[in-house]
Amino acid sequence: MRYSLPSLVTSVAALPMALFIPAFYADELGLPLAAVGAAIAASRVFDVVTDPLIGILSDRLPTRWGRRKPWMLLGTPLFLVAIWQVFVPGESATIGGLLLWTALLYLGFTLIDLPYRAWGAELSTDYDERSRITSVREALSMAGQVALLGFLVVLTTLGLDAGAEQLRGIAWLVLISLPLLVGMPC
């Protein structure tokens, strides 16, 4: 069960990136929506290189702490800094800055998520047990997204209904909880 806890938070970044970030950058920061979409899409191009590279490295570079956890720990600070920069960009946000920080956000996510998922497959040699491990991880991932929506409702009832306020709240939620959950021994 402890293995599955980080998915509560890593899944949280995907929802705002798809639903809120484009509108926030266009409506509240005044950047052209097409350019915002192009920057986010372009940042995903790096995954073509980083995903296989991180997968190969986490498969082939054993450490005294295991093959997977060090990559997750390495990716966590990058992910957190990038989340803050993308979700709380300030009024001087640019398309270039969005492209850079979104690319780094996805790199941090790759450093956490790819080894994390591979680790789940290694926790048991039993097919049924691996299925249970994956099911719990995915259930907590979905629970994290549902909890995020509940968190947004709470922020709204507290009067924090502007996009900037809600994205700052999400950023703080991730900044506080992800290091605790990734650093938890398994």
Side-chain angles (χ1 to χ4, degrees):
M1 178 69 165
R2 285 186 299 182
Y3 156 79
S4 299
L5 290 175
S7 64
L8 274 168
V9 179
T10 56
S11 66
V12 164
L15 200 56
M17 287 302 295
L19 299 179
F20 306 126
I21 293 297
F24 171 68
Y25 274 78
D27 297 343
E28 294 192 32
L29 300 178
L31 298 176
L33 183 58
V36 169
I40 293 171
S43 71
R44 299 308 309 258
V45 171
F46 298 108
D47 290 347
V48 171
V49 174
T50 60
D51 284 11
L53 179 63
I54 300 306
I56 290 167
L57 291 173
S58 76
D59 283 346
R60 297 185 182 167
L61 293 177
T63 71
R64 63 179 172 193
W65 304 284
R67 292 186 304 165
R68 310 301 180 186
K69 192 82 169 203
W71 294 100
M72 294 171 64
L73 294 172
L74 179 68
T76 297
L78 177 60
F79 185 75
L80 295 176
V81 169
I83 278 275
W84 188 263
Q85 292 297 323
V86 171
F87 286 29
V88 190
E91 293 182 20
S92 61
T94 64
I95 294 298
L98 177 63
L99 173 63
L100 170 70
W101 288 110
T102 303
L104 292 173
L105 172 75
Y106 288 123
L107 174 60
F109 180 77
T110 295
L111 285 164
I112 296 168
D113 196 59
L114 256 154
Y116 174 60
R117 290 177 182 276
W119 186 16
E122 296 169 346
L123 290 176
S124 176
T125 58
D126 181 67
Y127 176 83
D128 292 331
E129 182 64 20
R130 281 196 315 264
S131 295
R132 280 189 288 279
I133 290 167
T134 301
S135 296
V136 170
R137 182 188 68 217
E138 294 306 310
L140 287 181
S141 177
M142 183 60 71
Q145 290 185 353
V146 170
L148 171 64
L149 296 173
F151 179 69
L152 292 173
V153 169
V154 169
L155 290 178
T156 301
T157 61
L158 294 173
L160 301 170
D161 53 3
E165 295 168 332
Q166 292 190 341
L167 286 170
R168 182 181 298 271
I170 295 167
W172 276 115
L173 178 71
V174 173
L175 284 167
I176 292 167
S177 58
L178 186 62
L180 297 172
L181 298 177
V182 168
M184 189 176 290
C186 188

